[in-house]
Amino acid sequence: MTAEGAKEFEALEAQAAAIMTLFAAKGYVRVAPAFIQPASLFLDRIGEKLRARTYIFSDPSGQELCLRPDLTLPVARVFLERGAGAGVSKFCYNGPAFRIQAKPERLRTREFRQAGIEYYGARGIDADLEVMALTLDAVRSCGVLDFTIRVGHIGLVRALLNALDMPQRWRDRLARAFRRQAFAQELEILSRSQADRAPALPETALSEDGFLAHLDAKAVPFIGLRRPTEIVKRLQHKAADVQEPPLSAETVRLARDYLATRGDVDTALDRIASLAAEASLDLGPVMDEARALLDGIKKLAGCAPVVFEADFGRHFEYYTGMVFRIDAAGVERQIAGGGRYDGLIHALSGGASDVPAVGAAIHTERLLVAASGR
């Protein structure tokens, strides 16, 4: 953990106790997910790319396990194990998470602590605003008053992609790239000529057996983090892409103009509405919902700046709506963040439960640094 000394540990414990008391007073039930989780819980939902940042190992039976790199999915698993009903469930937690860091820093460590809340069962913006309000209450109660809220909206990105002329497969591809902050790169690839998008492998390699046989024939060892099935699926998509005409210059311009939109909430949303109107695009009810939500966040923020950034997306792919982070003065890394992830429970349950959710996590070690001014 970051806090090596007794004083730092005691300060973290006292801060965590105060935050947990605040969460409990608002009706959030404390849960403590296991540190060791099935690796598939994260890799299947977030993707094999996470493998390089996760401590993964196998038990004697060969099952892949991991030290939890995040607490949202383990808490969702607790929710499912307790029986996901039709009503509202509210959970809170505090504890360590673990991620491999190529270059560990003081505020970006291999082991770090998070305190957070998860609100299941409500689709409206009232739940989003409750989570935001409680997160801000926790930050302020610990003495941090000088901060900025950065906000994005995955739902707006999806609405834009759905309104633009392109295959559904490309919409999904761009949406995934957006969450990995690689949207501009994928946009450029899909605007290339068909010949430039051709896969480098022969058609016979577009099955798992054919792919492995191709590697064997070329004496290329299979070394990597991705499974052959996942690689072949991507190659099949690339092959299908060759049959599609490139994105039009107008589609690319609209997407880039959207990405470049940022600033105070009202100005940014007005700009997005103007872009849609100029191109005769219908963004549906998402635009009105986003405006109402962001107006509510502005009221909760008080004097704190709220900045909308159209290209802001969180790294984990399960977010579907509002996403946010809180940056404190003097602290390089965010002290809190979260958002809405309505499809997560449906995916984890294999379609058995379709429960909307919104949540937030506070990096308590960073919060302590921001509060102490050290």
Side-chain angles (χ1 to χ4, degrees), residues 12-32 71 91-95 114-117 134 138 141-142 360-362 364:
L12 271 174
E13 290 294 286
Q15 176 184 263
I19 293 174
M20 288 297 102
T21 299
L22 177 64
F23 291 166
K26 297 296 184 179
Y28 286 76
V29 177
R30 185 167 186 175
V31 293
L71 277 91
F91 295 143
C92 63
Y93 60 82
N94 175 67
Q114 291 183 335
I117 50 177
L134 194 48
S141 70
C142 292
I362 299 169
T364 53

Side-chain angles (χ1 to χ4, degrees), residues 1 24 31 56 101 117 125 159 173 175 188 220 223 265 267 278 310 339:
M1 61 180 293
V31 293
I56 296 177
Q101 306 290 357
I117 50 177
I125 67 170
R173 177 173 170 175
E188 192 276 329
V220 177
I223 301 173
V265 168
T267 301
E278 291 167 8

Side-chain angles (χ1 to χ4, degrees), residues 237-300:
H237 286 172
K238 287 180 178 292
D241 289 345
V242 178
Q243 309 304 318
E244 301 287 351
L247 293 178
S248 69
E250 177 63 10
T251 294
V252 173
R253 182 192 67 80
L254 280 168
R256 286 175 175 166
D257 285 349
Y258 175 86
L259 285 180
T261 302
R262 65 190 63 229
D264 69 89
V265 168
D266 293 332
T267 301
L269 292 184
D270 286 347
R271 173 59 177 156
I272 292 171
S274 295
L275 286 173
E278 291 167 8
S280 299
L281 300 179
D282 181 9
L283 298 184
V286 177
M287 191 71 204
D288 291 336
E289 292 171 5
R291 194 178 291 276
L293 172 61
L294 295 173
D295 283 345
I297 292 175
K298 282 175 60 179
K299 292 176 182 177
L300 293 174

Side-chain angles (χ1 to χ4, degrees), residues 40 75 186 260 321 350:
S40 61
V75 172
E186 291 292 341

Side-chain angles (χ1 to χ4, degrees), residues 50-71:
L50 187 66
R51 184 182 290 270
R53 298 189 59 201
T54 304
Y55 290 98
I56 296 177
F57 51 94
S58 297
D59 68 7
S61 71
Q63 181 186 9
E64 276 196 324
L65 303 171
C66 70
L67 292 176
R68 62 190 190 193
D70 148 85
L71 277 91

Side-chain angles (χ1 to χ4, degrees), residues 2 55 97-105 108-112:
T2 299
Y55 290 98
F98 310 85
R99 289 184 204 164
I100 297 171
Q101 306 290 357
K103 295 181 179 180
E105 305 169 7
R108 193 182 187 187
T109 55
R110 297 183 180 93
E111 179 181 345
F112 55 95

Side-chain angles (χ1 to χ4, degrees), residues 30-270:
R30 185 167 186 175
V31 293
F35 286 19
I36 297 176
Q37 297 281 333
S40 61
L41 177 69
F42 298 90
L43 301 180
D44 291 349
R45 298 284 75 77
I46 301 171
E48 286 285 329
K49 187 175 181 179
L50 187 66
R51 184 182 290 270
R53 298 189 59 201
T54 304
Y55 290 98
I56 296 177
F57 51 94
S58 297
D59 68 7
S61 71
Q63 181 186 9
E64 276 196 324
L65 303 171
C66 70
L67 292 176
R68 62 190 190 193
D70 148 85
L71 277 91
T72 294
L73 270 73
V75 172
R77 191 172 173 223
V78 171
F79 171 68
L80 285 169
E81 289 173 350
R82 292 190 176 189
V88 166
S89 296
K90 300 179 180 181
F91 295 143
C92 63
Y93 60 82
N94 175 67
F98 310 85
R99 289 184 204 164
I100 297 171
Q101 306 290 357
K103 295 181 179 180
E105 305 169 7
R106 167 149 172 75
L107 296 181
R108 193 182 187 187
T109 55
R110 297 183 180 93
E111 179 181 345
F112 55 95
R113 293 190 171 201
Q114 291 183 335
I117 50 177
E118 311 293 344
Y119 185 157
Y120 300 102
R123 294 189 185 277
I125 67 170
D126 288 347
D128 293 17
L129 293 175
E130 179 177 314
V131 166
M132 177 65 79
L134 194 48
T135 304
L136 293 176
D137 285 348
V139 168
R140 287 168 171 148
S141 70
C142 292
V144 178
L145 304 178
D146 187 2
F147 57 82
T148 298
I149 304 172
R150 292 176 56 198
V151 186
H153 203 292
I154 305 297
L156 275 176
V157 179
R158 271 291 189 184
L160 175 70
L161 293 175
N162 287 339
L164 293 173
D165 183 22
M166 68 180 72
Q168 183 60 46
R169 183 179 67 258
W170 287 9
R171 293 189 181 103
D172 295 338
R173 177 173 170 175
L174 286 167
R176 289 192 298 270
F178 179 82
R179 297 185 182 105
R180 298 195 310 271
Q181 298 178 332
F183 188 94
Q185 179 183 358
E186 291 292 341
L187 195 65
E188 192 276 329
I189 291 172
L190 296 178
S191 67
R192 294 175 186 168
S193 67
Q194 292 161 301
D196 289 340
R197 286 185 267 117
L201 295 179
E203 187 174 349
T204 54
L206 298 182
S207 67
E208 186 170 344
D209 289 342
F211 172 69
L212 294 175
H214 177 78
L215 294 184
D216 187 55
K218 298 291 185 180
V220 177
F222 183 76
I223 301 173
L225 300 177
R226 297 187 183 276
R227 300 186 184 101
T229 302
E230 184 179 3
I231 296 173
V232 168
K233 185 177 180 180
R234 290 177 61 128
L235 290 172
Q236 290 170 345
H237 286 172
K238 287 180 178 292
D241 289 345
V242 178
Q243 309 304 318
E244 301 287 351
L247 293 178
S248 69
E250 177 63 10
T251 294
V252 173
R253 182 192 67 80
L254 280 168
R256 286 175 175 166
D257 285 349
Y258 175 86
L259 285 180
T261 302
R262 65 190 63 229
D264 69 89
V265 168
D266 293 332
T267 301
L269 292 184
D270 286 347

